[in-house]
Amino acid sequence: MGGARNQQNKAHKTRFASKSTRNLHKTSLQDKHRISKSKNVAKGARAARQQRNKNIREEKRAAVLKQKRASTALTSPPKLIVLFGLSADVDVDSLYDDLLKLLSPESTAISTVASSDYKLRATVMKAPHGDLLSCMEMAKVADLIVFVASANGFTCEDGTFDYIDSFGSRCLSVFRSLGLPSSVVMIRGLPTEMRSKNDLKKICISGLVSEFPKDCKFYPADTKDELHKFMWLFREQRLTAPIWRNQRPYLVAQKVQMEATDDNAGTCTLLLTGYLRARNLSVNQLVHVSGAGDFQLAKAEVMKDPFPLAAKKGLGSMDVEEVYNGEVIQALVPDPVKREPLLVENIPDPLAGEQTWPTEEEMAEAADRNQNDKKLKKRRLPKGTSDYQAAWIVDDTDEEETDNESGSDDGMEMDVADNANDSEFDDDQATLKLEYSDEETENDSVMMDTENLTKEQIEDEIKKLKEEHAEDKEYPDEVDTPIDVPARKRFAKYRGLKSFKTSQWDPKESLPAEYARIFAFDNFKRTQKLVLKRASEMEQGDRDDCVLTGSYTRLHIKDVPVAIASKLCALVEKLPVIACGLLEHESKMSVLHFSLQKDASYSEPIKAKEELIFHVGFRQFMARPIFSTNNINLDKHKMERFLHEGFAMATIYGPVCFPPLPLIVLKSGGEGVSHQVAAAGALSSIDPDRIILKKIILTGYPQRVHKVKSTIRYMFHNPEDVRWFKPVELRTKCGRYGRIKESVGTHGTMKCIFNEVIQQHDTDFNGNEALVQIVNFATPGLYDYEAGTPGVDRMLIPCAKLDAF
């Protein structure tokens, strides 16, 4: 034997070490001492980072535990269970009666019951099949949606077998867009024989599983034992809700009453009684009543719970309500100093635009700026042209590079000379009347009064709208130059952009006085973060001005019109009346941008500025949006005349809302016709400075072609228009670009020169853009569900432009 040998271990691979560790042997003692200190600092930073992450995990864990305890506590509000039939053949009424008998055998006269056997309180509601608006309102507040399916199914018109009819599919799509809460599927009509029951249940589940989330459970619901099993599982189930609903306190009214006031005739105090949900409500907050508008609170009363779990034995649900009804525990009155004002529009200062005498510093700064401007290269410009207007004029160097034959640049000089000789063109340039420029905007803004039209006229309007939609889809942005109106007057608001991406456009240009009535934020995301932080502070600690979550509360809402209050009292039996607390600034008007997509089931064209019904969270209002593209990397966005397939942006005047919020767009079908889902999406941003440009393309056709030169006709109809649009660059559909050289004849024919040889079949065009106006906006109005037509409370009509605030 060679003797004992010591084990030799491989050294640690240095490729995992840091650069400072690998070079540690090369440093001196002083540097090693310095490096060791930096190591301690790094270790301290690492420990602090780990401690911070640990605190964040503990806070999230505590929040989840608090939410779970609050949902299962005795003081939590009753769970809202909505029964929705997937087809018209499903008997929802029998399931409704069976659930109420299971929870409260004594009485089923009311929908809210407290079950001591299951140790839970629940409110059971039936969604009426065929009423889209009622189903939407119930889905907004539901804690659990129970989709009821028939095991036998039904046969569709095309001969296929299905469990969901057309209305059920449409409502499922709307529920997904709103944010689907916790949901289960109950199957009714299964046979009693066990083997046949299991086989039919599997077939039914396989036909429905693709329409629901992965965590959705399927339960048979024919016998009392099956319902008993479901209730025990439901009691232990952790319910989920959309994020937008948990950010605001809301109340589903069980009672709606009116109280007359002597202060102002025509208004009253609306009393809404119910359980407060999601968050604490401050009495100084503004509240929004769905379908009615925004209001202030006159008082909030915390009442004794009429459906406690620890009720006296031997009392039925009706007896319990009579015992506890009307007893007020606490009354909260708003503080006049802290109360949030009901401010809708900004009151502009007429003296805000007045100029004052400049200070010495401003005069010195202006002098320095003039000296710097003199050093810059001078350009030949028409008389009276400002610096901002000069940005739209093609530079002289561009013409020199394009014109290979002329030795001198006579483009702008010739233009000025022609203007001097032509008095008519000079007058048009000096005093340009915009009487024709608003013609298209006014025509688009006119709302057709369908009540006064006959059936044949309505059919003609629909046919014309479909033809315009098809033409816009095939030839986007192309318009014909009018013959009877000069193009320089008709398109006076349009400008030729050399590049849609890099060209300048001032967002503060030509703002009307009415645009000062809306609000804008310096930094919307920072404001949203601050508002949500203040709202979360109301959840911490006991505050004297807050109503706690789960309290049975009566809200006294002041200055509600009597007509609206009387309609709400009648509607409370058909659909839920919802009052939600508004966050800060959510009553003020601004410019809202929504990202939306046209619904697949809606085949009719949707034109811009057409009257639509917007459902944004708990809000409901009518608006006439304009559609535009969403260019992520650009500051300018092109307006669309119609809402085509794919995603687009819809811009309206509306009350400030903080995202995330869902959007459902409905189109009124007229008298006797239910509303149709036209589009769905979500709130994207609030930005009055978003620039939306309307693009038009004027087309012409080559008459003669010789290499890079061409004679173009039918783009204009008089030589004055040719000289007016001379600075605008020309483009062809095959990718060539060029400029106008001169006018030929008296009918608008012009000589053009291009960068490459063009073909005879090519088409020349120049693109122009103009600012876009937002049309009328209607504040929230109350819907007449019986007539199927919306009524508007009041109208705000600002003739404002969307390019800036």
Side-chain angles (χ1 to χ4, degrees):
M1 298 291 296
R5 295 181 180 179
N6 295 329
Q7 180 180 355
Q8 298 293 332
N9 295 327
K10 295 174 69 174
H12 181 72
K13 294 182 179 180
T14 58
R15 64 189 181 95
F16 297 106
S18 63
K19 190 177 294 184
S20 60
T21 304
R22 292 198 297 267
N23 298 329
L24 188 62
H25 64 283
K26 301 178 183 180
T27 58
S28 61
L29 293 176
Q30 295 180 355
D31 294 336
K32 287 182 180 180
H33 182 66
R34 179 179 55 81
I35 292 174
S36 64
K37 285 187 176 180
S38 64
K39 283 185 177 181
N40 293 334
V41 172
K43 289 182 179 179
R46 181 182 179 185
R49 185 172 63 253
Q50 291 176 347
Q51 183 65 30
R52 183 171 62 253
N53 294 337
K54 182 181 178 181
N55 293 338
I56 293 175
R57 288 195 301 270
E58 290 179 354
E59 289 178 359
K60 291 183 178 179
R61 189 180 296 111
V64 172
L65 185 60
K66 180 182 178 181
Q67 180 182 4
K68 185 177 180 180
R69 289 176 177 174
S71 61
T72 58
L74 298 178
T75 58
S76 62
K79 306 300 179 186
L80 274 170
I81 303 176
V82 176
L83 305 180
F84 178 80
L86 294 177
S87 63
D89 300 333
V90 177
D91 189 5
V92 181
D93 296 335
S94 62
L95 180 60
Y96 175 81
D97 297 335
D98 294 343
L99 283 177
L100 289 182
K101 289 180 181 179
L102 185 67
L103 293 172
S104 178
E106 293 86 4
S107 175
T108 59
I110 52 178
S111 60
T112 302
V113 293
S115 176
S116 58
D117 297 334
Y118 299 100
K119 297 182 180 179
L120 64 85
R121 299 185 296 175
T123 300
V124 186
M125 305 172 68
K126 294 181 296 183
H129 194 85
D131 191 349
L132 179 62
L133 295 177
S134 299
C135 294
M136 286 177 56
E137 294 300 311
M138 292 182 182
K140 291 178 182 179
V141 298
D143 294 321
L144 178 72
I145 299 182
V146 178
F147 295 98
V148 187
S150 175
N152 300 322
F154 66 97
T155 303
C156 302
E157 295 179 357
D158 55 357
T160 59
F161 184 79
D162 203 352
Y163 298 95
I164 307 175
D165 59 4
S166 59
F167 179 78
S169 300
R170 186 162 66 249
C171 286
L172 274 175
S173 178
V174 171
F175 295 164
R176 295 190 197 100
S177 301
L178 289 173
L180 196 63
S182 299
S183 56
V184 297
V185 178
M186 285 189 174
I187 304 174
R188 302 273 287 185
L190 293 172
T192 56
E193 200 272 324
M194 186 59 63
R195 185 172 181 177
S196 302
K197 179 179 180 180
N198 292 334
D199 294 340
L200 188 56
K201 179 183 174 183
K202 290 180 181 179
I203 296 174
C204 185
I205 292 175
S206 64
L208 294 172
V209 67
S210 61
E211 299 290 339
F212 299 97
K214 294 182 179 179
D215 57 347
C216 184
K217 304 293 184 181
F218 294 81
Y219 299 96
D222 287 319
T223 62
K224 184 178 179 181
D225 294 338
E226 292 171 345
L227 294 177
H228 175 74
K229 180 181 178 181
F230 162 73
M231 292 307 302
W232 276 110
L233 294 175
F234 167 66
R235 181 183 176 274
E236 300 296 332
Q237 183 181 0
R238 180 187 172 189
L239 302 178
T240 58
I243 298 177
W244 65 269
R245 201 172 73 184
N246 291 333
Q247 289 181 344
R248 298 164 180 82
Y250 65 96
L251 180 143
V252 182
Q254 295 182 348
K255 295 181 181 179
V256 180
Q257 298 171 331
M258 295 171 53
E259 190 177 86
T261 57
D262 300 332
D263 300 337
N264 188 8
T267 61
C268 64
T269 301
L270 183 66
L271 307 182
L272 301 182
T273 307
Y275 290 93
L276 186 64
R277 302 171 186 272
R279 286 181 175 270
N280 297 343
L281 175 65
S282 175
V283 73
N284 298 314
Q285 276 184 271
L286 297 177
V287 295
H288 173 81
V289 181
S290 295
D294 304 336
F295 304 97
Q296 289 180 327
L297 288 176
K299 184 171 58 173
E301 296 176 342
V302 180
M303 308 176 67
K304 198 163 185 178
D305 198 337
F307 305 103
L309 283 177
K312 296 181 180 180
K313 295 184 178 180
L315 291 178
S317 57
M318 292 294 294
D319 299 330
V320 169
E321 187 180 10
E322 292 176 359
V323 170
Y324 291 96
N325 189 20
E327 185 176 351
V328 179
I329 300 176
Q330 183 183 8
L332 303 178
V333 180
D335 187 357
V337 179
K338 298 181 180 180
R339 170 188 280 179
E340 187 173 353
L342 185 58
L343 185 60
V344 178
E345 301 176 21
N346 182 36
I347 302 176
D349 185 7
L351 301 179
E354 294 292 332
Q355 293 183 349
T356 58
W357 189 259
T359 61
E360 296 181 358
E361 297 179 357
E362 293 176 347
M363 294 178 68
E365 183 180 355
D368 295 339
R369 187 165 55 250
N370 292 335
Q371 292 293 336
N372 296 332
D373 293 341
K374 290 180 181 180
K375 297 179 183 179
L376 299 176
K377 181 181 177 180
K378 295 184 178 180
R379 300 174 59 190
R380 297 179 182 179
L381 300 172
K383 184 179 179 181
T385 304
S386 64
D387 295 339
Y388 179 68
Q389 293 173 341
W392 301 100
I393 299 178
V394 180
D395 200 357
D396 295 343
T397 58
D398 297 338
E399 297 188 1
E400 291 177 0
E401 295 175 359
T402 308
D403 193 356
N404 298 326
E405 296 183 359
S406 75
S408 61
D409 180 20
D410 57 350
M412 293 305 300
E413 292 179 351
M414 182 181 65
D415 200 7
V416 175
D418 292 339
N419 290 343
N421 296 329
D422 192 353
S423 60
E424 180 185 357
F425 185 66
D426 184 66
D427 294 339
D428 291 336
Q429 188 179 17
T431 58
L432 184 62
K433 296 182 180 180
L434 303 180
E435 55 183 345
Y436 298 101
S437 60
D438 290 335
E439 180 181 354
E440 186 174 349
T441 303
E442 292 175 358
N443 291 339
D444 290 342
S445 301
V446 173
M447 297 173 59
M448 297 299 297
D449 190 3
T450 56
E451 296 181 357
N452 299 328
L453 296 179
T454 62
K455 184 178 179 180
E456 291 76 10
Q457 290 176 337
I458 294 176
E459 291 177 353
D460 293 341
E461 289 293 332
I462 295 175
K463 183 179 179 180
K464 182 180 178 181
L465 190 64
K466 289 183 178 180
E467 292 176 355
E468 292 179 357
H469 178 268
E471 182 180 359
D472 182 72
K473 193 174 182 180
E474 186 175 1
Y475 305 103
D477 308 324
E478 292 190 13
V479 298
D480 296 329
T481 306
I483 300 177
D484 54 343
V485 179
R488 61 186 183 278
K489 291 184 178 181
R490 176 63 186 85
F491 306 118
K493 289 187 176 182
Y494 291 84
R495 300 172 184 171
L497 289 186
K498 188 173 183 179
S499 173
F500 196 85
K501 181 177 181 180
T502 60
S503 298
Q504 294 181 357
W505 198 293
D506 187 7
K508 308 294 183 183
E509 178 191 1
S510 302
L511 291 180
E514 291 83 358
Y515 208 70
R517 292 158 58 187
I518 63 175
F519 292 85
F521 298 93
D522 292 335
N523 191 329
F524 179 72
K525 292 185 177 179
R526 182 178 61 188
T527 304
Q528 180 183 2
K529 186 177 180 180
L530 182 61
V531 167
L532 295 179
K533 182 180 179 182
R534 291 175 182 172
S536 62
E537 290 177 355
M538 290 192 296
E539 304 296 320
Q540 302 173 359
D542 297 334
R543 294 181 48 169
D544 298 335
D545 60 340
C546 288
V547 181
L548 300 181
T549 306
S551 303
Y552 191 70
T553 311
R554 179 191 293 163
L555 300 179
H556 295 249
I557 303 174
K558 60 183 296 188
D559 297 336
V560 180
V562 176
I564 293 179
S566 59
K567 288 185 178 181
L568 290 176
C569 294
L571 289 175
V572 69
E573 301 295 335
K574 299 180 182 179
L575 76 162
V577 177
I578 308 167
C580 72
L582 297 179
L583 299 176
E584 191 176 358
H585 308 302
E586 283 197 330
S587 66
K588 301 172 183 177
M589 302 290 293
S590 187
V591 179
L592 278 63
H593 308 283
F594 296 91
S595 175
L596 78 167
Q597 187 178 19
K598 188 176 180 180
D599 192 79
S601 62
Y602 190 79
S603 59
E604 300 296 328
I606 304 176
K607 192 175 182 179
K609 306 175 187 178
E610 187 176 357
E611 188 176 83
L612 299 172
I613 304 172
F614 276 57
H615 284 250
V616 185
F618 291 118
R619 290 184 181 272
Q620 307 168 11
F621 52 84
M622 298 179 63
R624 298 167 62 196
I626 58 174
F627 305 118
S628 62
T629 58
N630 186 19
N631 301 322
I632 300 177
N633 298 325
L634 303 181
D635 61 341
K636 296 176 284 294
H637 311 272
K638 187 175 77 72
M639 176 189 170
E640 298 288 347
R641 294 180 59 203
F642 290 89
L643 180 62
H644 298 292
E645 290 77 10
F647 285 94
M649 299 295 290
T651 303
I652 63 169
Y653 282 125
V656 172
C657 303
F658 293 102
L661 277 176
L663 168 68
I664 302 295
V665 180
L666 302 181
K667 179 69 185 300
S668 178
E671 185 177 359
V673 182
S674 61
H675 295 82
Q676 295 178 330
V677 181
L683 177 63
S684 178
S685 63
I686 297 179
D687 184 15
D689 289 339
R690 188 175 186 267
I691 302 175
I692 298 180
L693 303 179
K694 186 174 183 179
K695 180 180 178 180
I696 63 169
I697 296 177
L698 304 180
T699 56
Y701 302 92
Q703 184 180 13
R704 295 185 182 91
V705 176
H706 178 68
K707 296 183 179 180
V708 296
K709 298 179 181 179
S710 177
T711 303
I712 308 299
R713 59 179 178 177
Y714 301 143
M715 184 178 290
F716 305 107
H717 302 291
N718 56 73
E720 290 81 8
D721 290 341
V722 175
R723 289 194 292 269
W724 177 270
F725 287 93
K726 188 174 182 179
V728 181
E729 186 180 59
L730 299 178
R731 297 183 183 89
T732 69
K733 290 188 176 181
C734 294
R736 279 78 170 176
Y737 61 89
R739 64 179 180 86
I740 301 174
K741 187 176 180 181
E742 61 182 355
S743 176
V744 178
T746 60
H747 296 285
T749 307
M750 56 188 179
K751 288 183 179 181
C752 304
I753 186 168
F754 295 88
N755 64 329
E756 295 180 12
V757 178
I758 66 172
Q759 303 296 327
Q760 187 72 35
H761 60 79
D762 204 350
T763 305
D764 304 287
F765 62 88
N766 61 21
N768 296 274
E769 284 77 17
L771 302 177
V772 180
Q773 295 180 345
I774 311 177
V775 295
N776 308 345
F777 168 77
T779 57
L782 185 71
Y783 293 108
D784 188 355
Y785 286 87
E786 296 179 356
T789 57
V792 180
D793 182 17
R794 59 192 182 90
M795 188 77 71
L796 173 67
I797 310 178
C799 181
K801 293 184 179 179
L802 182 58
D803 58 323
F805 173 69

